[in-house]
Amino acid sequence: MNLQHPLARTLVTTRTWPFLIDVGVAACGLAIFFSLVSTGTYWLGKPIPVVPISHSISALPAYAFYSIVRIAIAYLLSLIFAVSYGYTAAYNPRIEAWMVAVLDVLQSIPVLSFLPPVVLAMVALVPGHQMGIEMGVILLIFTGQVWNLAFSFYSSIKSIPREMREAASIYRYSGWQRFWQLEMPYAAIGLVWNSIVSVAGGWFALIACEMFTMGDRNFQLPGLGSYLQTATASGDIRALVAGFLVVILIVVATDQLLWRPLIAWSDKFKFEQVESADRVESPILELLRRSNLFAAPGRIWTSFEEPIFRRMAATADCRVVHPLDDERPRRNSAGLWALAIAAICVVGWGATQAVLMLSKVTWPELRLLLEGAGATFLRVNAALLISAAWTVPVGVAIGFNPKLARIAQPIAQVMASVPATAFFPILLIGLVRIGGGLGIGSIVLMLLGTQWYILFNVIAGAMSIPSDLREVSSLYHFNRWQRWTKLILPGIFPYLITGMVTASGGAWNASVFAEYTHLKDRTLQTIGLGAQIDWATDHGRFPILLLATILISLMVVTMNRLVWRRLYRLAETRYKLEG
Amino acid sequence: MQEAATPTEPQTAAPALEPIIRAEKIEKYYAQPSQNRIQVISATDLSIVPGEILALLGPSGSGKSTMLRMLTGLSSPSAGQVFWHEKPISQAEINVSIVFQSFALFPWLTVLENVEAPLQARGVGPEERRERSMKMLDTVGLDGFEGAYPKELSGGMRQRVGFARALVVEPEVLFMDEPFSALDVLTAENLRSELLELWANKTMPTKAVFLVTHNIEEAVLLADRIIVLGRNPGHIRTDFRVQLAQPRDRKSEPFTQLVDYIYKVLTKPDVAPSDAPDRQHPDTRVRDQRQMHYQMLPHARPGGMAGLLELLLDKGGRDDIYRLADDLAFEIDDLLPIVDAAQLLGFLKIEEGDAAITASGTEFANSEILRQKELFRDAALENVLLLRQIRRALEAKSDHTVPEEFFLDMLDEQFSQEECLRQMETAVTWGRYAELFDFDAGRRRFVLPDAQEEELAVDGDAK
């Protein structure tokens, strides 16, 4: 529903079929209860490392459910962790620089290489329950989701306008009130958009890691990822297509039922002084607003919150105004020192052990790793170039046509959320049929993962070029070359860079999955760092795994520092279309 | 222009009442990596007593806002102390509000929720909160708007919400940080008179009002007492009571004379504040910016200077600055930098609140654009050290380019980081206009214009 009237918010929206919706909501509650119980019993059961995976399509809903639960738990954990991490970093100047640097590096490390140690640790931590293995996988998805969320929250907090902070401070807001009325709302939009990216990344990792071999141990959890992988391994195309369709269905449903309502809702957190004309619309959100659904939790929340406010107001801390620029050096307590020293010792010990472990890598192995690094580097950049080569002209054409853009942009957005790992099995079978190898296959897989981000951003960029600039270019009869070099490329530059940065991260991540795979009883692989990581996982060679992970992280971080960050700065300063 | 009689010669305000807030020798400075410190505000005493509207007036860079933040406890002074009813402010339960220039409303809360929020912070229960907020919204003329979001309101309405939020906690002192400067003239005027009405009728429970402004007329219109700040570093130039009865008439003789008097104070060459030398820190001497190497470049554009000089020439080469501002509908923050810049370049002189054009200023105003650039270039090279240095460095280097950073490093010794960037920006504007150098914004480097020699030759032929 489009609210044109500026004061429309204050008008009461009439409720159509409220009763029906309320019943539906109640039914959802019951369903949630049942699923909690069944998940609980499964999780607390005896650990079964290899759960047999059925090929029948009727098993799909249950598998989908287990996968969704994993994603949801991992996402919730990431959100909580991201908020606490961002908050801590933003308010503790002493460790701020460290925490941000850690974020920056962790963002660049491909999660899949963490899989074996994480699962081993978790199984050891929770012995005797299925939960151990589950936790390992969830933790892995978590590590793939959390960093950009944390970064987004951190930078939102840091960019809160000074006068807003001062208002909160002069009116003696408690930390609680400041969090809910200033910091959270201010960060909400960033969190929603990053959640979309995060959950897409979560699916990517999930499908890859529900089933894996480590040394002589196999792990296989019931879920969509295992289903797809087993179907591939046995060459069951019917099951494969069905599984793939379910993945798409889930992605589309998440977009429609969760993200669009959230984006539409988060519109009210926009920090702008005028109401903007174009807003994302969501019928689901309208339905929810009309049902009684939010009334009860709202009341509960209020009754829970009021005593907190009263208690907070009575504390000594809330009776004085705190200076925002306290420059007096704070005393370092002995406890803090001890903690710091302990941390240094632990980190030092760990690092030494890891380095000792690295010394077990032989020269030929090192040579192979470096060759692999080169191959993967070339492959990632080839995938990026190919993506950019087709998405830029297509995206610009779509973006200049508003009608087309309105249809194509959401599709590109959904496509970007479909995990490339789900495409892979189908692709692989096709490749094997026509006799292609993994060398091409992995590039195609990276393409599948990367191109949609770029397309989505290029469309947005083309749409953002002001029409008066386009009119100028046709008025002065710019030829095609001039149009592209003077108007279009500079205009979409910031968007293109944003898309390429995201895509590059995705491509590196995909390389781990794409360069090495099992098909029926064959092992397909090509030269590459990702293949080395997988091979090391398969054979339990931790030193190689570690070194490969270090190499891949180094390359990603270096590329970010040397190329992307500079281009980003250029986009921010020179090619920003203001106004 | 004859010297205007000043009916309100500054009398030092001697507060008989016990002050609500008292600042004792408060200073603000920023430590630099070297031994130097950037002094923003030199040691200042100030007190806010019940029953008065106090206006703090000053040009940009005089630290008005910093002063407000130190007095409210939002910023801690680098030295000295602020007392709230004779208790150190960091420990006292103070009761003040601030009305912000940018309103600082929470866009995700409705008008009512915005006003309720400070009460919530003080632990007031839901019913009382709502009742008090609704009453306050009623007082500021916003009933019926409680369910709206701030972005649905006009600027004036939003500032009304700002006032309601500030007043709902019944503050003892109401602080206002340029509350009307983001509003259009009519709306601002309207809000000002309503504020005065609230104050006069004692509708608001506030004991004192502290207004920060750069608008002289606004200060004279509202205040019972005016403090004028000077800059580099910020210090009190004068502190006097306004004896005019309310309501005040902008057109009346005493009013305009008072405005004129303040202009005179603001434009008179400043004397260094006597208490500037730092007694508490004898080992690290605070360097006074005016005794240092670089002048502070006023942030004015060459075009503005040309416009001012032409106007001045039209008026016979000499006029009251107050009248100039009036003719241009400028506030002091707009006009003073231009006047200062023209003075720095030797195009005009300030005498007793009057601006008088000099010979070179007359020539500048009468010339066409290329000649103007030439005159500007000569004046800039002669008077502005930074521009002279940039030009010399460019001529000396074989590739005729110098990175911006090189000069920023030197400025850094003297100005705060923010000010360094602004100084550089002004220098670039002036230098580009005068064709002293070009600036490559992508690489952040100064370069010598290629066509410089040719252009000069063409220019010479034309004459």
Side-chain angles (χ1 to χ4, degrees), chain A residues 461-482:
Chain A
M463 281 164 77
S464 78
I465 295 178
S467 56
D468 45 2
L469 286 187
R470 281 166 59 196
E471 278 156 18
V472 166
S473 76
S474 52
L475 198 64
Y476 294 113
H477 301 290
F478 277 22
N479 59 33
R480 186 182 287 262
W481 172 252
Q482 280 173 316

Side-chain angles (χ1 to χ4, degrees), chain A residues 26-48:
Chain A
C28 288
L30 289 175
I32 289 170
F33 178 76
F34 172 73
S35 35
L36 279 180
V37 170
S38 54
T39 318
T41 41
Y42 158 63
W43 275 26
L44 293 176
K46 283 261 165 303
I48 317 161

